[in-house]
Amino acid sequence: MKILFLTCLTVILLMVHNSSQAQYDPGTKNWLVGGSLSGTFSNAFTSSQTGHVQNLNLYFKSGKFGANKVSRGWLADYTLMWTESGVDFKYGSHAIGAGYFINKFQPLNKNIGLYAEAVGMGKYLLARSNQGYKNDGWGASILANVGLRYHFKSKLFLDCSANIGYVNYQSTDLLVKNWEAFSIGLSPSIGSFKIAIGKTL
């Protein structure tokens, strides 16, 4: 009886161990779609002017696991920024990008895993205002993110991530003249928090 009990216990433990590692096995593919929404609102009482900025980000990722719980893959990204300020100023910008990412996972249990992510991405920028303002161009970014992935079913998972640092370069045509900007950021913001749903294939 003890031998049967120990055999069953061993099989159950092996099944739990295998299920906790299956989503990170070499050759395992996955995809996810997600985004973020953020905004600000201001009111200048002295001039009776109001303004707001809204950012919407949508993205798609497709990756494949290799050795040591490392996932690599491609992503597509779209960001819309909409600004209204003053009496009659409206400004909208679109950024369409594509890039490559690398994730390093550290499973906590069979359902939850933490990861660190590095992303390299290029973007095409298109912006217009209702007052004839034009700002088109391109940009390139290197991003450092951290995240948490929760498998709520055998093939489905939720993914939450936040940016902790970036290096960004942007070149645009600002009122006919060429304008370049280089920026580095090291602190996260609420606008960098993203939620996604994905599937293991």
Side-chain angles (χ1 to χ4, degrees):
M1 186 68 175
K2 289 183 178 180
I3 295 176
L4 179 61
F5 174 76
L6 290 174
T7 302
C8 291
L9 181 61
T10 302
V11 170
I12 290 173
L13 290 175
L14 285 173
M15 288 175 64
V16 171
H17 174 75
N18 288 336
S19 66
S20 68
Q21 303 298 321
Q23 57 263 30
Y24 308 111
D25 286 344
T28 301
K29 298 179 180 179
N30 59 73
W31 59 262
L32 64 158
V33 60
S36 65
L37 178 65
S38 63
T40 60
F41 180 83
S42 63
N43 186 9
F45 293 101
T46 57
S47 60
S48 300
Q49 291 185 351
T50 61
H52 65 85
V53 178
Q54 296 175 336
N55 290 280
L56 171 66
N57 173 255
L58 300 171
Y59 65 93
F60 174 82
K61 291 182 180 179
S62 178
K64 181 178 180 180
F65 277 92
N68 301 318
K69 300 179 179 65
V70 174
S71 174
R72 294 177 171 85
W74 299 94
L75 66 92
D77 184 275
Y78 170 74
T79 300
L80 169 66
M81 184 183 76
W82 179 256
T83 302
E84 291 187 19
S85 63
V87 179
D88 186 30
F89 179 76
K90 297 179 181 180
Y91 172 80
S93 69
H94 306 269
I96 303 169
Y100 187 77
F101 69 89
I102 300 175
N103 293 341
K104 170 61 178 175
F105 279 83
Q106 177 59 54
L108 300 181
N109 57 39
K110 67 177 182 178
N111 294 324
I112 300 175
L114 300 176
Y115 67 87
E117 178 181 63
V119 178
M121 181 167 50
K123 290 185 176 183
Y124 174 73
L125 309 170
L126 175 66
R128 296 288 188 274
S129 82
N130 63 333
Q131 297 179 0
Y133 179 86
K134 176 183 177 183
N135 191 8
D136 301 341
W138 61 277
S141 301
I142 299 174
L143 309 172
N145 304 321
V146 294
L148 182 145
R149 184 167 293 183
Y150 171 64
H151 286 81
F152 60 92
K153 287 190 176 182
S154 60
K155 296 289 187 179
L156 297 176
F157 60 83
L158 289 175
D159 190 283
C160 301
S161 64
N163 177 257
I164 59 172
Y166 64 88
V167 177
N168 186 64
Y169 173 80
Q170 186 171 315
S171 176
T172 58
D173 294 326
L174 183 61
L175 299 176
V176 183
K177 298 179 181 179
N178 189 54
W179 181 76
E180 295 180 313
F182 179 79
S183 58
I184 297 176
L186 296 176
S187 59
S189 65
I190 189 65
S192 73
F193 182 76
K194 299 181 179 181
I195 299 178
I197 187 168
K199 183 175 182 179
T200 300
L201 306 179

